[in-house]
Amino acid sequence: MAALSRSPPLLLLFSSLCLWSSVTVLAVKVASGPVELPKQPDVRAVEPAAKDAPVAVAAGASPPRRASGWKLAEEEACREDLTRLCPKQTWTNNLAVLECLQDRREETELAPDCNHLLWNYKLNLTTDPKFESVATEVCRSTIAEIKECNEEERGRGYLVSCLVDHRGNISEYQCNQYITKITSIIFSDYRLICGFMDKCKEDINSLRCGSISVGQKDPHSQGEVISCLERALVRQAEQQDRGHPIKEECQKAILRVAELSSDDFHLDRHLYFACRDDRERFCPNVQAGEGKVYKCLFNHKFEEAMSEKCRDALTTRQKLISQDYRVSYSLAKACKLDLRKQRCSLDTSLPRAREARLSYLLLCLEAAVHRGRPVSGECQGEMLDFRRMLMEDFSLSPEIVLHCRTEIEAQCSGLHRKGRTLHCLMRLGRGDRSSAVDNICQNALQNLIQSADPGADYRIDRALNEACESVIQTACKHIRSGDPMILSCLMEHLYTEKMVEDCEHRLLELQYFISRDWKLDPILYRKCQGDAARLCHTHGWNETSELMPPGAVFSCLYRHAYRTEEQGRRLSRDCKVEVQRILHQRALDVKLDPELQKRCMTDLGKWCSEKTDTGQELECLQDHLEDLVSNCREVVGNLTELESEDIQIDALLIRACEPVIQAHCHDVADNQVDTGDLMECLVQNKHQKEMNDKCAVGVTHFQLIQMKDFRFSYKFKMACKEDVLRLCPNIKKKVDVVICLSTTVRNDTLQDVREQRVSVKCRKQLRVEELEMSEDIRLEPELYEPCKSDISRLCPNVAFGNAQMIECLKEQKKQLSQRCHQRIFKLQEVEMSDPELDYQLMRVCKQMIKRFCTEADARNVLQCLKQNKNSELMDPKCKQMITKRQITQNTDYRLNPVLRKACRADIPKFCQSILNKANEESELEGQIIACLKLKYADQRLSADCEDQIRVILQESALDYRLDPQLQMHCSDEISRLCAEEAAAQEQTGQVEECLKGNLLKIKQEACKKEVLNILKESKADIFVDPVLHTACALDLKHHCAAITPGRGRQMSCLMEALQDKRIRLQPECKKRLQDRIDMWSYAAKVAPAESFSDLAVQVMTSPSKNYILLMMALSVCVLFLVGLLCGRITKRVTRELKNR
């Protein structure tokens, strides 16, 4: 301020300086007598000795005294008021009397004559030109100490102005008290302020702020005139009063008066009278001076006990501080050196008034703090107080009052206390669907948030602080109070049990605006300012650029956050950690992502208006990805692609999956770089006991979203990107890409090419994707879409996960619609050729595979399990699943790749007629296998095919369900004749034995034919008759051990042993053999041979084979002899005929 006092008078608000110059004349004689210098170290010693006492205008006033000891207390006009209002010890000191009378209670009035007497007395004191000589004597040592004041030119009022500017540095008690006392007297009446009336006379009249004429208004209430002008100045800034604009020179005078009264609240007469009781109530022990009383009252402004009159006066003063920070004594003093050091007043491109704005000061100093430059703790403390002040009362920001007036009146009226109106506007600005604010108001709110910078210290936002106090005490108690990480901690606990609803709302309202300017997160700014300048070409903290607005900087940062080393231009490690933290927070609410909300506003309203729960809006946008407009689709796609690399961005999902992560995925979760490992782990452990419904739904949803674009699967994208571009160009959907690459791999494998076209790393990841897709039918759209109606009709209550829905459709295969049936059959065909893709089989038999098939090839797992099916160590559930797959395989040879390969020559040779009738898309219901069984009985199959059919016959002989033709034709007969055997837990061939035993009782011809075929097959090989084989096991060992199995050889051996009376068979074996002979005899009668080959087979397998062959040989011999005989006769006849 000393610098100000050295400027030309007109430019330096000389009117205000003149005020202080005039004040010091209090110690001067008004008359021509000599000046009396102080003789004691007390203000009383410098009281004036008036030559001419103030003229008593009214009647009753005593005449003026010329004696040097003239006292106000001796004047008749004020004696009564003095006796009534002032203690006797003050009567001897004119200054004390004056202070007592003008600081009286508001309801207490003075006599008009006394008013005028006091007025004339003060006026005389302020008009004598000899003030500097007294000031020089009173403040001699102070002037010598303060270099700037000692160098000031004398006689022009500059000396006293300099002393006022440095009054905080005045250590001399007498000088300090002198200046303090005098200023309180002068500020009681604006007319006593030199030059003020000249500058503001027209404005006072036009605004009707008071009368200038003496006597029309109480002179001691003339502080109200200044208050009126101050309120008018505030209204003008808010553009509420456009009819009477205040002249610029008067505006400067008003702010200068407010500045000069900033250290002692007594000097602001209007505020002093309005807040006298409140001061006693709230700040009784706070000493006046250095703005301490102001600060105390500001802190209690919204207390219930605070009077409205005082609150209004405090608000007016705060608004003046917003226009000129120097109106706050404590702020101007604490930050004076820092403002100079940080060069906050040297921007010549800005008008002077702009530099004085509180917001400019805060932004400039906040920029220094954010850049790590030193700013004194005292200044930062003052800044904190005023930032909190701005957040508490919206009316202190003229832009908010001006541009958000409509919203405040319509939506937020009556909420002005404790920052509630501001948070109401922030809620509207956040874009709740019920209402919204216009862009101008939105920008005003954003500017206020930047000025107040609540991201640096949550305590600045009183509404948030009060709402979240309980959450901070429980969830964030480990963080130091005021630390910026408190907000991050609150965000981490958003939507958790520890969060309370009111805190949740206040937090999201504030974060909405913080998220729109990356600089408002101080930790992010500190760690990333270098990267932002290097990669995004950003400017200073409080500077903006049209090419890179604040909202776009973060988008630039996160695009560089996930670059690979090959791509270059990556973020520093510390910055990347902070970018990931912000991304995690933004995933909690779609409104915290400015770019997403801006581009997707229309789509959110169109597709997601009903999705109001936590996290549903982004999921909804992802679900409707194909339907979104291009700009929205792009940003949602980019975000989803980012999530695929680092699923921890989806904080809600990670929170829901915490138990399963801790149990199964903690290793990958702790990695600094995710690269899709965590999501892959969650998918693999989706059905663990630690998995809850929320996590399972979230993981499945992300899997479904991944199907829309292969880029959404980070590991798949990185492994197969080059292969996709080369082999599957223009294909975007992941499922189509997987099919394309899988087909390429399969074709290369079948053609036995030397070098696979799909790279090894892609084939490996492709396998992972195929296995994941097999778990849920929804992950295979080509299967899911045709089967939707069947799912709702046949499996309405079945869960999709764990392949349960697919399993349900398989079990209901006969009832499926044609399209769905075809897709399920194709799926089964793929699963049978590659059992690893059979999710249910691999899940149920996981332990058994480890036990029995560790060395088996992945494609032979089912074959291995079938071979170990009857082991005592086999798990019952796995055994049941194997049986299901065997039943499926036997319905169609195409579902049994081993059989298909072994019998590829036999099938077209013997069963072409069935193939000709069958449709390529329909199942053959076991007809081909039944055909091959008959040829097996005829012993006409190739060796490989015969081996496979023998296995099928052996398996189906033990379990009738493995024979689809038998089950199809004999289901009713089994229920009627063999219900008890069919109900048995273990299938040991008893059902077929029952059907054989009840052959005569079977009514359905088709069923009878199937049983007869079984009998025929059993004659060809004893192994396909498990009951007989079990009964005759010992006899086979003793009597037929040397006989090679197959082609009925061991059966013939047993038959011969039965007829040989020297051999004694086991009773059970003998009985079973005799039963079989009877059955075969009946079968021969019921079903005679249909061809010569059938007849030959029947003869060769007949127990009376030797007898039949002997008889056939005798018959041939007889025929031969007859032929010879007939031939002799014919020859003779011929010869005789020749002789003739």
Side-chain angles (χ1 to χ4, degrees), residues 177-202:
Q177 291 294 308
Y178 174 72
I179 292 177
T180 301
K181 290 281 185 183
I182 299 307
T183 51
S184 66
I185 294 172
I186 299 304
F187 268 83
S188 65
D189 194 331
Y190 76 96
R191 294 172 299 176
L192 301 179
I193 302 173
C194 178
F196 182 84
M197 189 171 69
D198 295 335
K199 290 181 174 60
C200 294
K201 180 177 181 180
E202 293 181 10

PDB file of all heavy atoms in Angstrom, residues 177-202:
ATOM      1  N   GLN A 177      -2.346   3.614  19.011  1.00  0.00           N
ATOM      2  CA  GLN A 177      -3.627   3.958  19.629  1.00  0.00           C
ATOM      3  C   GLN A 177      -4.193   5.245  19.049  1.00  0.00           C
ATOM      4  O   GLN A 177      -5.392   5.370  18.847  1.00  0.00           O
ATOM      5  CB  GLN A 177      -3.437   4.102  21.141  1.00  0.00           C
ATOM      6  CG  GLN A 177      -3.145   2.792  21.856  1.00  0.00           C
ATOM      7  CD  GLN A 177      -4.343   1.858  21.789  1.00  0.00           C
ATOM      8  OE1 GLN A 177      -5.466   2.236  22.126  1.00  0.00           O
ATOM      9  NE2 GLN A 177      -4.099   0.635  21.337  1.00  0.00           N
ATOM     10  N   TYR A 178      -3.322   6.163  18.774  1.00  0.00           N
ATOM     11  CA  TYR A 178      -3.743   7.447  18.219  1.00  0.00           C
ATOM     12  C   TYR A 178      -4.471   7.245  16.894  1.00  0.00           C
ATOM     13  O   TYR A 178      -5.587   7.738  16.693  1.00  0.00           O
ATOM     14  CB  TYR A 178      -2.499   8.321  18.054  1.00  0.00           C
ATOM     15  CG  TYR A 178      -2.740   9.639  17.349  1.00  0.00           C
ATOM     16  CD1 TYR A 178      -3.430  10.676  17.970  1.00  0.00           C
ATOM     17  CD2 TYR A 178      -2.254   9.840  16.061  1.00  0.00           C
ATOM     18  CE1 TYR A 178      -3.631  11.867  17.318  1.00  0.00           C
ATOM     19  CE2 TYR A 178      -2.450  11.035  15.402  1.00  0.00           C
ATOM     20  CZ  TYR A 178      -3.135  12.051  16.046  1.00  0.00           C
ATOM     21  OH  TYR A 178      -3.340  13.249  15.400  1.00  0.00           O
ATOM     22  N   ILE A 179      -3.862   6.521  15.970  1.00  0.00           N
ATOM     23  CA  ILE A 179      -4.461   6.300  14.650  1.00  0.00           C
ATOM     24  C   ILE A 179      -5.756   5.502  14.762  1.00  0.00           C
ATOM     25  O   ILE A 179      -6.757   5.807  14.118  1.00  0.00           O
ATOM     26  CB  ILE A 179      -3.447   5.602  13.720  1.00  0.00           C
ATOM     27  CG1 ILE A 179      -2.290   6.559  13.406  1.00  0.00           C
ATOM     28  CG2 ILE A 179      -4.113   5.128  12.429  1.00  0.00           C
ATOM     29  CD1 ILE A 179      -1.194   5.956  12.561  1.00  0.00           C
ATOM     30  N   THR A 180      -5.757   4.500  15.623  1.00  0.00           N
ATOM     31  CA  THR A 180      -6.949   3.669  15.784  1.00  0.00           C
ATOM     32  C   THR A 180      -8.133   4.483  16.310  1.00  0.00           C
ATOM     33  O   THR A 180      -9.263   4.367  15.815  1.00  0.00           O
ATOM     34  CB  THR A 180      -6.650   2.504  16.736  1.00  0.00           C
ATOM     35  OG1 THR A 180      -5.576   1.720  16.208  1.00  0.00           O
ATOM     36  CG2 THR A 180      -7.875   1.602  16.903  1.00  0.00           C
ATOM     37  N   LYS A 181      -7.891   5.306  17.298  1.00  0.00           N
ATOM     38  CA  LYS A 181      -8.974   6.108  17.882  1.00  0.00           C
ATOM     39  C   LYS A 181      -9.530   7.114  16.884  1.00  0.00           C
ATOM     40  O   LYS A 181     -10.738   7.274  16.740  1.00  0.00           O
ATOM     41  CB  LYS A 181      -8.454   6.854  19.108  1.00  0.00           C
ATOM     42  CG  LYS A 181      -8.156   5.951  20.302  1.00  0.00           C
ATOM     43  CD  LYS A 181      -9.433   5.578  21.024  1.00  0.00           C
ATOM     44  CE  LYS A 181      -9.112   4.787  22.290  1.00  0.00           C
ATOM     45  NZ  LYS A 181     -10.353   4.368  22.968  1.00  0.00           N
ATOM     46  N   ILE A 182      -8.630   7.791  16.186  1.00  0.00           N
ATOM     47  CA  ILE A 182      -9.065   8.849  15.284  1.00  0.00           C
ATOM     48  C   ILE A 182      -9.898   8.280  14.128  1.00  0.00           C
ATOM     49  O   ILE A 182     -10.911   8.863  13.741  1.00  0.00           O
ATOM     50  CB  ILE A 182      -7.850   9.625  14.742  1.00  0.00           C
ATOM     51  CG1 ILE A 182      -7.080  10.284  15.897  1.00  0.00           C
ATOM     52  CG2 ILE A 182      -8.276  10.670  13.727  1.00  0.00           C
ATOM     53  CD1 ILE A 182      -7.933  11.139  16.806  1.00  0.00           C
ATOM     54  N   THR A 183      -9.471   7.141  13.571  1.00  0.00           N
ATOM     55  CA  THR A 183     -10.210   6.595  12.429  1.00  0.00           C
ATOM     56  C   THR A 183     -11.625   6.203  12.814  1.00  0.00           C
ATOM     57  O   THR A 183     -12.545   6.327  12.008  1.00  0.00           O
ATOM     58  CB  THR A 183      -9.483   5.364  11.866  1.00  0.00           C
ATOM     59  OG1 THR A 183      -9.207   4.451  12.930  1.00  0.00           O
ATOM     60  CG2 THR A 183      -8.194   5.743  11.183  1.00  0.00           C
ATOM     61  N   SER A 184     -11.835   5.741  14.038  1.00  0.00           N
ATOM     62  CA  SER A 184     -13.197   5.351  14.438  1.00  0.00           C
ATOM     63  C   SER A 184     -14.123   6.551  14.469  1.00  0.00           C
ATOM     64  O   SER A 184     -15.320   6.432  14.224  1.00  0.00           O
ATOM     65  CB  SER A 184     -13.159   4.667  15.815  1.00  0.00           C
ATOM     66  OG  SER A 184     -12.766   5.603  16.805  1.00  0.00           O
ATOM     67  N   ILE A 185     -13.551   7.712  14.754  1.00  0.00           N
ATOM     68  CA  ILE A 185     -14.382   8.929  14.790  1.00  0.00           C
ATOM     69  C   ILE A 185     -14.742   9.367  13.373  1.00  0.00           C
ATOM     70  O   ILE A 185     -15.896   9.649  13.062  1.00  0.00           O
ATOM     71  CB  ILE A 185     -13.621  10.050  15.529  1.00  0.00           C
ATOM     72  CG1 ILE A 185     -13.433   9.663  17.009  1.00  0.00           C
ATOM     73  CG2 ILE A 185     -14.352  11.381  15.407  1.00  0.00           C
ATOM     74  CD1 ILE A 185     -12.531  10.609  17.768  1.00  0.00           C
ATOM     75  N   ILE A 186     -13.744   9.387  12.512  1.00  0.00           N
ATOM     76  CA  ILE A 186     -13.973   9.886  11.163  1.00  0.00           C
ATOM     77  C   ILE A 186     -14.940   8.983  10.392  1.00  0.00           C
ATOM     78  O   ILE A 186     -15.786   9.468   9.631  1.00  0.00           O
ATOM     79  CB  ILE A 186     -12.644  10.001  10.408  1.00  0.00           C
ATOM     80  CG1 ILE A 186     -11.725  10.995  11.139  1.00  0.00           C
ATOM     81  CG2 ILE A 186     -12.860  10.437   8.967  1.00  0.00           C
ATOM     82  CD1 ILE A 186     -12.336  12.359  11.325  1.00  0.00           C
ATOM     83  N   PHE A 187     -14.868   7.659  10.578  1.00  0.00           N
ATOM     84  CA  PHE A 187     -15.715   6.756   9.803  1.00  0.00           C
ATOM     85  C   PHE A 187     -17.176   6.787  10.226  1.00  0.00           C
ATOM     86  O   PHE A 187     -18.008   6.107   9.645  1.00  0.00           O
ATOM     87  CB  PHE A 187     -15.186   5.317   9.905  1.00  0.00           C
ATOM     88  CG  PHE A 187     -14.231   4.971   8.815  1.00  0.00           C
ATOM     89  CD1 PHE A 187     -12.898   5.332   8.920  1.00  0.00           C
ATOM     90  CD2 PHE A 187     -14.655   4.328   7.669  1.00  0.00           C
ATOM     91  CE1 PHE A 187     -12.015   5.043   7.907  1.00  0.00           C
ATOM     92  CE2 PHE A 187     -13.768   4.041   6.665  1.00  0.00           C
ATOM     93  CZ  PHE A 187     -12.431   4.402   6.774  1.00  0.00           C
ATOM     94  N   SER A 188     -17.499   7.577  11.234  1.00  0.00           N
ATOM     95  CA  SER A 188     -18.902   7.663  11.635  1.00  0.00           C
ATOM     96  C   SER A 188     -19.717   8.496  10.670  1.00  0.00           C
ATOM     97  O   SER A 188     -20.939   8.455  10.699  1.00  0.00           O
ATOM     98  CB  SER A 188     -18.999   8.270  13.043  1.00  0.00           C
ATOM     99  OG  SER A 188     -18.540   9.613  13.011  1.00  0.00           O
ATOM    100  N   ASP A 189     -19.046   9.258   9.796  1.00  0.00           N
ATOM    101  CA  ASP A 189     -19.805  10.123   8.889  1.00  0.00           C
ATOM    102  C   ASP A 189     -19.034  10.275   7.586  1.00  0.00           C
ATOM    103  O   ASP A 189     -17.900  10.736   7.567  1.00  0.00           O
ATOM    104  CB  ASP A 189     -20.017  11.494   9.533  1.00  0.00           C
ATOM    105  CG  ASP A 189     -21.084  12.296   8.796  1.00  0.00           C
ATOM    106  OD1 ASP A 189     -21.236  12.091   7.577  1.00  0.00           O
ATOM    107  OD2 ASP A 189     -21.756  13.105   9.442  1.00  0.00           O
ATOM    108  N   TYR A 190     -19.668   9.849   6.485  1.00  0.00           N
ATOM    109  CA  TYR A 190     -18.992   9.886   5.194  1.00  0.00           C
ATOM    110  C   TYR A 190     -18.612  11.309   4.808  1.00  0.00           C
ATOM    111  O   TYR A 190     -17.693  11.529   4.036  1.00  0.00           O
ATOM    112  CB  TYR A 190     -19.886   9.280   4.110  1.00  0.00           C
ATOM    113  CG  TYR A 190     -21.012  10.188   3.669  1.00  0.00           C
ATOM    114  CD1 TYR A 190     -20.866  10.993   2.541  1.00  0.00           C
ATOM    115  CD2 TYR A 190     -22.204  10.255   4.381  1.00  0.00           C
ATOM    116  CE1 TYR A 190     -21.883  11.828   2.130  1.00  0.00           C
ATOM    117  CE2 TYR A 190     -23.209  11.081   3.993  1.00  0.00           C
ATOM    118  CZ  TYR A 190     -23.066  11.867   2.862  1.00  0.00           C
ATOM    119  OH  TYR A 190     -24.065  12.684   2.474  1.00  0.00           O
ATOM    120  N   ARG A 191     -19.332  12.326   5.356  1.00  0.00           N
ATOM    121  CA  ARG A 191     -19.027  13.704   4.974  1.00  0.00           C
ATOM    122  C   ARG A 191     -17.694  14.188   5.535  1.00  0.00           C
ATOM    123  O   ARG A 191     -17.142  15.172   5.077  1.00  0.00           O
ATOM    124  CB  ARG A 191     -20.149  14.628   5.464  1.00  0.00           C
ATOM    125  CG  ARG A 191     -21.463  14.356   4.774  1.00  0.00           C
ATOM    126  CD  ARG A 191     -22.591  15.144   5.400  1.00  0.00           C
ATOM    127  NE  ARG A 191     -22.769  14.778   6.807  1.00  0.00           N
ATOM    128  CZ  ARG A 191     -23.654  15.399   7.603  1.00  0.00           C
ATOM    129  NH1 ARG A 191     -24.398  16.367   7.131  1.00  0.00           N
ATOM    130  NH2 ARG A 191     -23.768  15.027   8.852  1.00  0.00           N
ATOM    131  N   LEU A 192     -17.187  13.427   6.530  1.00  0.00           N
ATOM    132  CA  LEU A 192     -15.907  13.798   7.113  1.00  0.00           C
ATOM    133  C   LEU A 192     -14.733  13.235   6.314  1.00  0.00           C
ATOM    134  O   LEU A 192     -13.591  13.535   6.609  1.00  0.00           O
ATOM    135  CB  LEU A 192     -15.825  13.292   8.561  1.00  0.00           C
ATOM    136  CG  LEU A 192     -16.927  13.824   9.492  1.00  0.00           C
ATOM    137  CD1 LEU A 192     -16.746  13.227  10.876  1.00  0.00           C
ATOM    138  CD2 LEU A 192     -16.900  15.339   9.556  1.00  0.00           C
ATOM    139  N   ILE A 193     -15.039  12.332   5.365  1.00  0.00           N
ATOM    140  CA  ILE A 193     -13.977  11.722   4.564  1.00  0.00           C
ATOM    141  C   ILE A 193     -13.661  12.658   3.414  1.00  0.00           C
ATOM    142  O   ILE A 193     -14.488  12.888   2.527  1.00  0.00           O
ATOM    143  CB  ILE A 193     -14.420  10.346   4.031  1.00  0.00           C
ATOM    144  CG1 ILE A 193     -14.797   9.446   5.206  1.00  0.00           C
ATOM    145  CG2 ILE A 193     -13.326   9.717   3.185  1.00  0.00           C
ATOM    146  CD1 ILE A 193     -15.400   8.130   4.773  1.00  0.00           C
ATOM    147  N   CYS A 194     -12.447  13.189   3.438  1.00  0.00           N
ATOM    148  CA  CYS A 194     -12.055  14.216   2.469  1.00  0.00           C
ATOM    149  C   CYS A 194     -12.197  13.713   1.038  1.00  0.00           C
ATOM    150  O   CYS A 194     -11.612  12.698   0.679  1.00  0.00           O
ATOM    151  CB  CYS A 194     -10.620  14.646   2.745  1.00  0.00           C
ATOM    152  SG  CYS A 194      -9.995  15.861   1.589  1.00  0.00           S
ATOM    153  N   GLY A 195     -12.962  14.376   0.235  1.00  0.00           N
ATOM    154  CA  GLY A 195     -13.120  14.041  -1.172  1.00  0.00           C
ATOM    155  C   GLY A 195     -14.189  13.012  -1.453  1.00  0.00           C
ATOM    156  O   GLY A 195     -14.640  12.882  -2.589  1.00  0.00           O
ATOM    157  N   PHE A 196     -14.624  12.259  -0.432  1.00  0.00           N
ATOM    158  CA  PHE A 196     -15.609  11.201  -0.681  1.00  0.00           C
ATOM    159  C   PHE A 196     -16.933  11.803  -1.154  1.00  0.00           C
ATOM    160  O   PHE A 196     -17.546  11.314  -2.098  1.00  0.00           O
ATOM    161  CB  PHE A 196     -15.816  10.382   0.598  1.00  0.00           C
ATOM    162  CG  PHE A 196     -16.791   9.241   0.427  1.00  0.00           C
ATOM    163  CD1 PHE A 196     -16.363   8.032  -0.076  1.00  0.00           C
ATOM    164  CD2 PHE A 196     -18.129   9.384   0.743  1.00  0.00           C
ATOM    165  CE1 PHE A 196     -17.241   6.984  -0.238  1.00  0.00           C
ATOM    166  CE2 PHE A 196     -19.017   8.344   0.577  1.00  0.00           C
ATOM    167  CZ  PHE A 196     -18.573   7.142   0.084  1.00  0.00           C
ATOM    168  N   MET A 197     -17.340  12.908  -0.475  1.00  0.00           N
ATOM    169  CA  MET A 197     -18.617  13.526  -0.840  1.00  0.00           C
ATOM    170  C   MET A 197     -18.563  14.074  -2.255  1.00  0.00           C
ATOM    171  O   MET A 197     -19.535  13.982  -3.005  1.00  0.00           O
ATOM    172  CB  MET A 197     -18.966  14.625   0.162  1.00  0.00           C
ATOM    173  CG  MET A 197     -20.376  15.177  -0.010  1.00  0.00           C
ATOM    174  SD  MET A 197     -20.850  16.265   1.326  1.00  0.00           S
ATOM    175  CE  MET A 197     -19.784  17.648   1.040  1.00  0.00           C
ATOM    176  N   ASP A 198     -17.403  14.604  -2.636  1.00  0.00           N
ATOM    177  CA  ASP A 198     -17.289  15.153  -3.988  1.00  0.00           C
ATOM    178  C   ASP A 198     -17.434  14.065  -5.050  1.00  0.00           C
ATOM    179  O   ASP A 198     -18.053  14.267  -6.098  1.00  0.00           O
ATOM    180  CB  ASP A 198     -15.937  15.853  -4.148  1.00  0.00           C
ATOM    181  CG  ASP A 198     -15.832  17.073  -3.237  1.00  0.00           C
ATOM    182  OD1 ASP A 198     -16.901  17.620  -2.886  1.00  0.00           O
ATOM    183  OD2 ASP A 198     -14.706  17.423  -2.862  1.00  0.00           O
ATOM    184  N   LYS A 199     -16.842  12.905  -4.781  1.00  0.00           N
ATOM    185  CA  LYS A 199     -16.860  11.814  -5.763  1.00  0.00           C
ATOM    186  C   LYS A 199     -18.203  11.107  -5.827  1.00  0.00           C
ATOM    187  O   LYS A 199     -18.595  10.591  -6.864  1.00  0.00           O
ATOM    188  CB  LYS A 199     -15.752  10.806  -5.450  1.00  0.00           C
ATOM    189  CG  LYS A 199     -14.347  11.338  -5.706  1.00  0.00           C
ATOM    190  CD  LYS A 199     -13.324  10.275  -5.399  1.00  0.00           C
ATOM    191  CE  LYS A 199     -11.915  10.714  -5.787  1.00  0.00           C
ATOM    192  NZ  LYS A 199     -11.462  11.912  -5.091  1.00  0.00           N
ATOM    193  N   CYS A 200     -18.910  11.039  -4.704  1.00  0.00           N
ATOM    194  CA  CYS A 200     -20.114  10.200  -4.642  1.00  0.00           C
ATOM    195  C   CYS A 200     -21.403  10.984  -4.416  1.00  0.00           C
ATOM    196  O   CYS A 200     -22.458  10.376  -4.183  1.00  0.00           O
ATOM    197  CB  CYS A 200     -19.963   9.167  -3.530  1.00  0.00           C
ATOM    198  SG  CYS A 200     -18.666   7.959  -3.838  1.00  0.00           S
ATOM    199  N   LYS A 201     -21.333  12.355  -4.483  1.00  0.00           N
ATOM    200  CA  LYS A 201     -22.528  13.153  -4.205  1.00  0.00           C
ATOM    201  C   LYS A 201     -23.672  12.809  -5.151  1.00  0.00           C
ATOM    202  O   LYS A 201     -24.808  12.576  -4.731  1.00  0.00           O
ATOM    203  CB  LYS A 201     -22.169  14.637  -4.300  1.00  0.00           C
ATOM    204  CG  LYS A 201     -23.341  15.568  -4.027  1.00  0.00           C
ATOM    205  CD  LYS A 201     -22.867  17.021  -4.060  1.00  0.00           C
ATOM    206  CE  LYS A 201     -24.030  17.980  -3.772  1.00  0.00           C
ATOM    207  NZ  LYS A 201     -23.577  19.392  -3.796  1.00  0.00           N
ATOM    208  N   GLU A 202     -23.374  12.732  -6.441  1.00  0.00           N
ATOM    209  CA  GLU A 202     -24.427  12.434  -7.417  1.00  0.00           C
ATOM    210  C   GLU A 202     -25.004  11.027  -7.212  1.00  0.00           C
ATOM    211  O   GLU A 202     -26.210  10.829  -7.311  1.00  0.00           O
ATOM    212  CB  GLU A 202     -23.870  12.568  -8.831  1.00  0.00           C
ATOM    213  CG  GLU A 202     -23.484  13.979  -9.213  1.00  0.00           C
ATOM    214  CD  GLU A 202     -22.953  14.049 -10.633  1.00  0.00           C
ATOM    215  OE1 GLU A 202     -23.082  13.024 -11.358  1.00  0.00           O
ATOM    216  OE2 GLU A 202     -22.424  15.106 -11.035  1.00  0.00           O
TER     217      GLU A 202
END
